[in-house]
Amino acid sequence: MSTSNSSRSALTIAALGVVYGDIGTSPLYAFRAVFDGAFAIPVNEENILAALSMIFWSIMIIVAVKYVVVMLRFDHRGEGGVLALLSFALGVVRNRPRLKWLITVMGAFAASLFYGDAVITPAISVLSAVEGIGVASHALDHYTVPIALVILVGLFLVQRRGTGRVGVLFAPVMVLWFAALAAMGAVSITQTPGVLAALSPLHALSFIIWHPGWAFAAAGAVFLCVTGAEALYADMGHFGAGPVRTAWFTIVFPALIVNYMGQGALLLRHPEAARNPFYLLAPESLLLPLIVLATCATIIASQATISGAFSVTQQASRLDFLPRLRVLHTSDTARGQIYIPLVNWILMVGVVVLVLSFRSSEGLAAAYGIAVAGDLLISSMIMLIVLPLARQHVLRWLLPLFMVTATVEALYFAANASKFLSGGWFPIALAIAVFTVLSTWRRGTEILRARKMASPAARVESGAIDLSGITRVPGSAIFFGANPKRCPSAFLHNLKHNRVVHELTAFVTVSFDDQPVVADDERVELSKNANGIVEIILHYGFREEPDLVQALRLVARRGVHFEPEETSFFASKPTIVSVSRRGLFGWRRSLFGWMLRSNTSLARYLGLPPNRVVELGAQIGI
């Protein structure tokens, strides 16, 4: 085998441990939710075949076709996810302000819905795995919640240490997990091969036509089989589209379908198995090992979701939806392994509250689908908006596909919305809260930037300022500003009060571009003005963590040398001053002011020597 083929195979196996943890554990609860619970439908042959048909064609249309075949092609320099999709869409509508605003709002709300998914996924996954002990012995049922809480709290507590060491075990465990899914399903199918008739879409269509009420009730549970589909797109940057597709079609897709069919075959033989068809597929002697394996798989699924929440938060901060947050890198070699303490503790509290409130995967199933359905529907709607405007005319041929997926996802969203009072309110309420924070920061920074630009000082061009009569002092200084062609306010304040300019003075603007990663040879823009000021623009992708010390090494290659330990770094620190009536939405101004005060310091954010940073205050009225 060639080196390239070996590397591709390794990436394919590795993708199982990160990309497919969520959707790979859905057989634990998805099929069961159709026939057991508050929204259950009667267990009979017609309904079983219809539910299996709905599951198969939902996975085929939404996961296999929409995401694996199509969406993985809409990468942004190799990266995926809703915010990468937002970058692609904004590039298409850059000259249409109203559409740009609409797509930005849609993308922000889709990201907000992801946090609902990030809270529910660990809770429902681990609970559904631990509930297997109740199948082994009903006397152990009351231990389910305590054991799940211990596992989940422990998972959040180890986040600070990073996932690198544990991550090497993810892929082998998931390979074993998918092998177990396929084996259990295949044995059951051989006993009742007639279940394969469910592969025909006619069973699903006739069920929808003749029993629309039951079909609508079943749809909310059936949709759980595609939860995690967005991870295919979001995590493609770690492995590339090729390995993700290969893993899906050779391992994941066959294993999932065989297991779902096996569960259906079991119900055809023993309708009473509806209480937990997944675990009842296993021989009694293998039940405990299966519970342990399922728990490991759900921990992996939870870890992938938690890591995804860290990545989405970092991306949102880069795209001006959140303030600077404290981000810790847990690996010296892998840039993508990050830990955000604030997000970690908020998620942990949310997960614990969910487990204590719902106490079973059956209860959480009602809350789960609505967030994911909304996320998937928004991505299809964004594509329907931008595809007709895309320069590549061949893309317009995808419109019928996204019309179909949007229709299916809208129906699933409606089915899950019907469970609003049964738990569906939680992810929606969480999404609204997160969206309020994202939109408040975005709008606040836009107003702040506009007020700064309206001030007389902001109109001073960096190359036009006359420094001929100003005393030059030894040393070097860097002043940070938002506009690369204007004098930073910190420089003007320093000039006004101290009347000196350093021999080597640079105006630095840190720019986060609408792309995930910027190559080093594209990172630095440098120019020298006639007055001796050096203008530097540092470009970063929204997935990157800025490191000014490393960037100064790239600047040195251009002939301008700064020693970080001998350079003074000046920045302005704005303070919000109320200059207008508070009005109905005055609380948003207070929220923005609090977020501004909580902003991570520039020294920590850019990796600067703390003892070399000078912050000059500035009051801005809003």
Side-chain angles (χ1 to χ4, degrees):
M1 180 182 292
S2 67
T3 303
S4 61
N5 289 336
S6 176
S7 176
R8 184 184 179 92
S9 298
L11 286 173
T12 298
I13 298 300
L16 294 176
V18 176
V19 176
Y20 293 108
D22 193 352
I23 196 171
T25 53
S26 59
L28 280 163
Y29 47 81
F31 189 67
R32 169 190 175 184
V34 178
F35 298 101
D36 185 57
F39 298 90
I41 63 174
V43 183
N44 57 51
E45 181 177 351
E46 179 186 5
N47 291 356
I48 292 170
L49 294 180
L52 288 174
S53 183
M54 292 173 69
I55 287 174
F56 175 77
W57 287 103
S58 295
I59 293 176
M60 180 66 73
I61 293 171
I62 295 176
V63 185
V65 177
K66 176 186 172 181
Y67 276 96
V68 179
V69 175
V70 177
M71 290 299 289
L72 292 187
R73 300 180 185 276
F74 288 88
D75 64 297
H76 200 80
R77 296 201 175 188
E79 298 284 350
V82 65
L83 293 179
L85 175 62
L86 177 61
S87 296
F88 162 76
L90 292 178
V92 175
V93 299
R94 64 169 64 92
N95 298 321
R96 298 170 181 264
R98 291 184 179 179
L99 279 182
K100 188 175 180 179
W101 175 86
L102 175 61
I103 290 174
T104 299
V105 171
M106 293 172 67
F109 195 73
S112 302
L113 285 169
F114 177 82
Y115 287 96
D117 185 17
V119 173
I120 299 176
T121 293
I124 191 173
S125 298
V126 173
L127 265 177
S128 61
V130 177
E131 283 170 350
I133 64 174
V135 177
S137 172
H138 286 298
L140 300 176
D141 277 336
H142 61 282
Y143 290 108
T144 299
V145 171
I147 292 174
L149 285 175
V150 169
I151 293 172
L152 288 166
V153 171
L155 179 63
F156 283 102
L157 291 178
V158 301
Q159 292 301 309
R160 175 63 181 86
R161 299 181 178 274
T163 59
R165 295 178 182 177
V166 182
V168 297
L169 301 175
F170 284 5
V173 169
M174 292 309 294
V175 169
L176 183 59
W177 171 252
F178 285 115
L181 291 183
M184 292 191 301
V187 170
S188 181
I189 291 173
T190 57
Q191 298 177 51
T192 314
V195 73
L196 295 178
L199 296 176
S200 169
L202 295 179
H203 286 281
L205 292 175
S206 61
F207 186 60
I208 293 171
I209 293 171
W210 296 109
H211 304 286
W214 285 354
F216 189 75
V222 166
F223 181 76
L224 298 176
C225 72
V226 301
T227 55
E230 69 279 11
L232 303 175
Y233 188 36
D235 292 325
M236 66 175 293
H238 296 291
F239 309 100
V244 171
R245 286 197 185 99
T246 302
W248 170 258
F249 285 112
T250 60
I251 300 175
V252 181
F253 182 56
L256 289 176
I257 298 305
V258 169
N259 189 266
Y260 280 123
M261 292 294 167
Q263 291 187 47
L266 174 65
L267 259 63
L268 288 175
R269 298 191 302 272
H270 305 289
E272 68 278 5
R275 66 187 179 92
N276 203 317
F278 176 82
Y279 279 118
L280 291 173
L281 272 180
E284 188 173 346
S285 59
L286 296 179
L287 184 57
L288 289 180
L290 180 61
I291 294 172
V292 173
L293 178 60
T295 302
C296 292
T298 55
I299 290 173
I300 292 171
S302 302
Q303 177 60 62
T305 305
I306 295 168
S307 299
F310 294 156
S311 296
V312 168
T313 302
Q314 185 186 42
Q315 292 177 45
S317 178
R318 301 295 179 267
L319 293 174
D320 278 341
F321 285 108
L322 285 173
R324 297 190 297 262
L325 296 174
R326 186 186 179 204
V327 177
L328 303 178
H329 291 268
T330 59
S331 172
D332 294 330
T333 57
R335 180 183 293 271
Q337 292 189 18
I338 60 174
Y339 168 70
I340 303 178
L342 178 63
V343 175
N344 186 68
W345 303 129
I346 290 176
L347 289 179
M348 187 184 77
V349 170
V351 168
V352 170
V353 169
L354 274 182
V355 172
L356 291 176
S357 299
F358 289 90
R359 307 189 70 82
S360 71
S361 61
E362 174 192 322
L364 279 169
Y368 195 21
I370 193 168
V372 182
D375 201 349
L376 301 187
L377 177 59
I378 289 174
S379 68
S380 291
M381 292 173 64
I382 290 176
M383 295 301 288
L384 287 174
I385 292 172
V386 301
L387 285 180
L389 304 174
R391 294 181 179 179
Q392 303 95 323
H393 293 287
V394 67
L395 295 180
R396 298 176 186 178
W397 289 98
L398 294 174
L399 279 172
L401 168 65
F402 283 99
M403 288 179 182
V404 172
T405 60
T407 301
V408 173
E409 289 158 357
L411 292 173
Y412 276 132
F413 182 80
N416 282 284
S418 66
K419 303 175 182 178
F420 184 83
L421 297 179
S422 301
W425 61 268
F426 177 82
I428 295 299
L430 180 60
I432 291 173
V434 173
F435 179 76
T436 300
V437 171
L438 298 183
S439 59
T440 297
W441 181 258
R442 178 87 170 194
R443 181 58 180 157
T445 52
E446 288 175 352
I447 295 174
L448 204 63
R449 194 173 295 119
R451 295 290 166 85
K452 283 184 177 181
M453 293 303 297
S455 66
R459 292 192 285 271
V460 179
E461 295 187 7
S462 57
I465 188 170
D466 184 9
L467 301 176
S468 57
I470 304 299
T471 302
R472 293 278 183 167
V473 296
S476 56
I478 288 178
F479 294 84
F480 295 96
N483 192 323
K485 293 301 180 182
R486 297 289 185 268
C487 285
S489 57
F491 176 80
L492 296 175
H493 282 301
N494 184 63
L495 188 62
K496 176 182 178 180
H497 295 287
N498 298 322
R499 303 296 298 172
V500 296
V501 176
H502 291 75
E503 286 181 339
L504 177 57
T505 299
F507 296 165
V508 173
T509 300
V510 178
S511 173
F512 287 98
D513 300 342
D514 286 340
Q515 60 189 59
V517 178
V518 175
D520 280 348
D521 57 356
E522 300 176 359
R523 192 172 306 284
V524 178
E525 283 187 53
L526 187 147
S527 61
K528 297 181 180 180
N529 295 330
N531 56 16
I533 301 295
V534 179
E535 293 180 359
I536 300 172
I537 304 176
L538 301 178
H539 295 273
Y540 290 92
F542 56 73
R543 281 186 183 268
E544 295 185 282
E545 187 73 13
D547 184 344
L548 195 74
V549 175
Q550 187 273 339
L552 291 180
R553 298 191 187 103
L554 300 177
V555 171
R557 298 178 186 177
R558 307 287 187 92
V560 180
H561 297 270
F562 289 92
E563 291 296 333
E565 295 296 338
E566 299 176 4
T567 301
S568 297
F569 300 93
F570 292 84
S572 61
K573 187 174 183 179
T575 301
I576 300 300
V577 178
S578 178
V579 296
S580 60
R581 291 188 303 173
R582 298 189 64 82
L584 182 61
F585 295 101
W587 59 270
R588 294 190 72 191
R589 182 166 51 204
S590 300
L591 173 61
F592 178 71
W594 174 80
M595 294 172 72
L596 193 64
R597 292 190 297 272
S598 305
N599 218 357
T600 300
S601 68
L602 189 71
R604 178 178 291 178
Y605 185 66
L606 296 178
L608 303 177
N611 60 335
R612 303 298 303 177
V613 177
V614 179
E615 290 186 333
L616 301 176
Q619 291 187 339
I620 298 177
I622 293 183

